[in-house]
């Protein structure tokens, strides 16, 4: 029996595929490669000495999903597939709603048809309403952009299906996953100019970008810059294994934050990078980025108590591993 990873060739999916195989799970990947490279899965195969059945398919394609579920013995699904760029979702809301909702609906229908009853879903801390960090799972919700609202809608759909059927689901709200596997073989490979902080720092370190612009120095925070809950990608990957185990032993739908439960400012992250990699990242202070909030971090107690999971890696580990990946793969998987 296998675990199907939709979107498994992506950043979080590829690290999770590795963690699952290392824990003895069998993995199948379905990805349409709209934001990923087949090379990521090839490298996980190389690192684990395991062949991973790979389906280049749109998860919203019913015929393709039927064919996959007929061919493979799927026991559970981790649903990573989705579009995730906040800014793009504001410009192209229909693309985001169509892709993220359709793929989930087709997946849920296919799972029902084939009697597959365990689902782990990639949600996001972006579903929390601004203003009352640390966020616990029962904090007020409100998607702040079409991307966030698509996640909120999917959480509700999954809840409804669990209530009406034998589906058992774990919804994971990730905070800010960063870094790479310490081998430097797999990592985050954004296309174009990175929208997120850590890949921008990495590309500044490699000389691809001249200097980092710090978006806002006048927030009501420790040093005026935004505070976030950065989480090492390998800790996050391991969180999926815990979620899968929980899902196998429990009925219904349960939501968990995956974060470290600590906030780090932009300037603190730059300093951690400089310490970990013996560098001096050039930066300039710029205006706030539209749509940004001052502070986001998790109350991570529920995952610790019920999933027996907690992040182990430090901010320096994240910075060291991000740089190791960047150095070894200056052009990502290309
Ligand atoms: P990613 O873009 O690297 O991975 C998503 C994968 O899904 C890509 O490989 C893409 O090709 C694939 N995909 C998209 N639509 C598809 C479709 N219709 N059919 C098949 N494949 C499709 O992103 P990621 O960072 O690995 O994120 C994985 C999931 O976690 C996403 O759902 C994202 O919204 C969520 N998430 C990510 C973050 C983050 O900061 N990276 C934070 C919170 C939540
Ligand atoms: C972090 C901090 C910026 C870039 C996003 C999504 C969220 C989730 C994770 C998917 C902020 C500052 C950034 C730069 C900067 N993804 N920054 N200069 O915005 O917390 O979260 O990714 O679900 O939904 O919104 O992450 O890395 O973009 O920003 O100063 O060039 O770094 O202002 O304070 P964010 P980020």
């Amino acid at each position: 029996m296998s675990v199907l990873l939709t979107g498994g060739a992506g950043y979080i999916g590829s690290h999770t595929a590795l963690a699952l195989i290392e824990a003895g799970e069998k993995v199948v990947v379905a990805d349409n490669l709209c934001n990923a490279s087949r090379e990521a899965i090839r490298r996980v195969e190389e690192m684990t000495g395991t062949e991973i059945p790979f389906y280049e398919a749109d998860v919203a394609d019913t015929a393709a999903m039927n064919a996959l579920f007929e061919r493979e013995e799927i026991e559970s699904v981790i649903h990573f597939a989705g579009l995730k760029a906040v800014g793009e979702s504001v410009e192209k809301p229909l693309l985001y709603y169509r892709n993220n909702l359709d793929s989930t609906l087709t997946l849920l229908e296919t799972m029902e048809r084939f009697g597959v009853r365990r689902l782990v879903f990639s949600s996001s801390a972006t579903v929390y309403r601004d203003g009352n960090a640390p966020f616990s799972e029962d904090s007020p919700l409100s998607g702040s952009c079409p991307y966030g609202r698509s996640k909120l809608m999917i959480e509700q759909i999954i809840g409804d299906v669990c209530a009406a059927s034998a589906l058992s689901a774990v919804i994971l709200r990730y905070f800010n996953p960063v870094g790479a596997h310490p081998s430097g073989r797999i990592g985050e490979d954004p296309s174009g100019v990175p929208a997120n902080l850590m890949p921008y720092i990495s590309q500044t370190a490699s000389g691809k970008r001249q200097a980092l612009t710090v978006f806002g120095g006048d927030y009501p925070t420790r040093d005026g810059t935004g505070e976030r809950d950065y989480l090492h990608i390998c800790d996050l990957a391991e969180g999926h294994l815990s979620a899968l185990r929980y899902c196998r032993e429990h009925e219904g739908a349960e939501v968990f934050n995956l974060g470290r439960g600590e906030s780090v400012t932009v300037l603190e992250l730059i300093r951690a990078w400089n310490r970990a990699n013996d560098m001096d990242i050039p930066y300039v202070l710029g205006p706030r980025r539209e749509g940004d909030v001052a502070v986001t971090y998790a109350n991570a107690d529920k995952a610790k108590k019920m999933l027996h999971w907690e992040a182990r890696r430090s901010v320096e580990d994240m910075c060291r591993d991000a740089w190791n990946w960047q150095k070894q793969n200056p052009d990502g998987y290309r």
Side-chain angles (χ1 to χ4, degrees), residues 46 51 99 190:
E46 182 192 281
E51 211 174 299
N99 187 72

Side-chain angles (χ1 to χ4, degrees), residues 91-103:
E91 287 160 25
K92 301 176 184 167
L94 285 173
L95 175 70
Y96 272 67
Y97 287 123
R98 174 64 77 190
N99 187 72
N100 292 0
L101 293 173
D102 257 10
S103 53

Side-chain angles (χ1 to χ4, degrees), residues 11-12 31-32 34-36 58-59 80 84 99 123 147 151:
Y11 173 46
I12 304 173
D31 198 304
N32 65 3
C34 70
N35 193 39
D58 192 319
V59 180
F80 298 103
K84 63 163 183 178
N99 187 72
S123 188
Y147 164 67
K151 290 291 180 194

Side-chain angles (χ1 to χ4, degrees), residues 178-225:
V178 297
H181 189 268
S183 66
R185 295 296 292 154
I186 54 173
E188 187 171 11
D189 183 16
S191 50
V193 182
N196 299 112
L197 179 60
M198 190 65 118
Y200 205 102
I201 293 180
S202 302
Q203 294 195 4
T204 306
S206 75
K208 244 187 179 173
R209 314 277 158 211
Q210 271 194 333
L212 170 76
T213 302
V214 175
F215 296 145
D218 58 351
Y219 283 107
T221 59
R222 282 193 289 283
D223 59 19
T225 67

Side-chain angles (χ1 to χ4, degrees), residues 44-170:
V44 176
E45 291 182 314
E46 182 192 281
M47 292 162 84
T48 55
T50 306
E51 211 174 299
I52 302 173
F54 179 82
Y55 291 79
E56 185 172 339
D58 192 319
V59 180
D61 178 343
T62 304
M65 286 300 104
N66 272 339
L68 186 159
F69 277 71
E70 256 155 34
R71 187 136 178 217
E72 307 288 343
E73 274 195 288
I74 303 299
E75 175 261 349
S76 49
V77 180
I78 307 184
H79 182 33
F80 298 103
L83 298 174
K84 63 163 183 178
V86 170
E88 188 186 47
S89 82
V90 175
E91 287 160 25
K92 301 176 184 167
L94 285 173
L95 175 70
Y96 272 67
Y97 287 123
R98 174 64 77 190
N99 187 72
N100 292 0
L101 293 173
D102 257 10
S103 53
T104 306
L105 293 173
T106 301
L107 177 68
L108 288 169
E109 285 169 352
T110 313
M111 289 174 68
E112 189 169 80
R113 204 171 304 123
F114 285 83
V116 178
R117 293 176 170 179
R118 296 178 187 98
L119 175 70
V120 176
F121 172 63
S122 301
S123 188
S124 168
T126 191
V127 300
Y128 290 115
R129 190 188 304 159
D130 182 25
N132 53 348
F135 297 108
S136 49
E137 289 78 356
D138 54 7
S139 292
L141 305 176
S142 83
S144 56
C145 63
Y147 164 67
R149 282 189 280 280
S150 78
K151 290 291 180 194
L152 212 46
M153 288 174 195
I154 295 169
E155 287 196 6
Q156 289 163 343
I157 292 168
I158 291 172
D160 288 343
V161 177
C162 284
S165 72
L167 181 72
S168 139
V170 170

Side-chain angles (χ1 to χ4, degrees), residues 216-288:
D218 58 351
Y219 283 107
T221 59
R222 282 193 289 283
D223 59 19
T225 67
E227 290 177 31
R228 296 291 183 273
D229 190 338
Y230 299 98
L231 169 72
H232 195 294
I233 185 69
C234 294
D235 279 326
L236 181 63
E238 288 164 14
H240 291 80
L241 190 61
S242 307
L244 197 58
R245 288 178 177 148
Y246 181 91
C247 201
R248 286 173 175 152
E249 287 160 14
H250 296 83
E251 304 288 313
E254 203 68 60
V255 183
F256 295 97
N257 286 338
L258 293 186
R260 289 172 78 243
E262 269 173 37
S263 75
V264 173
T265 71
V266 177
L267 295 180
E268 285 166 351
L269 190 71
I270 296 172
R271 279 198 294 273
W273 178 285
N274 290 343
R275 266 197 312 277
N277 298 317
D278 197 17
M279 271 188 197
D280 204 0
I281 290 292
Y283 69 86
V284 292
L285 214 53
R288 292 182 180 191

Side-chain angles (χ1 to χ4, degrees), residues 5-22 27 29 31 35-45 47-48 52 80 179-181 185-189 233-234 237 240 325 333:
L5 309 189
T6 73
Y11 173 46
I12 304 173
S14 54
H15 287 80
T16 302
L18 178 64
L20 292 185
I21 294 168
E22 284 176 342
V27 160
V29 168
D31 198 304
N35 193 39
S37 164
R38 178 79 177 80
E39 175 66 7
I41 290 301
R42 204 195 58 71
R43 293 198 187 177
V44 176
E45 291 182 314
M47 292 162 84
T48 55
I52 302 173
F80 298 103
H181 189 268
R185 295 296 292 154
I186 54 173
E188 187 171 11
D189 183 16
I233 185 69
C234 294
H240 291 80
W325 154 256
Y333 290 114

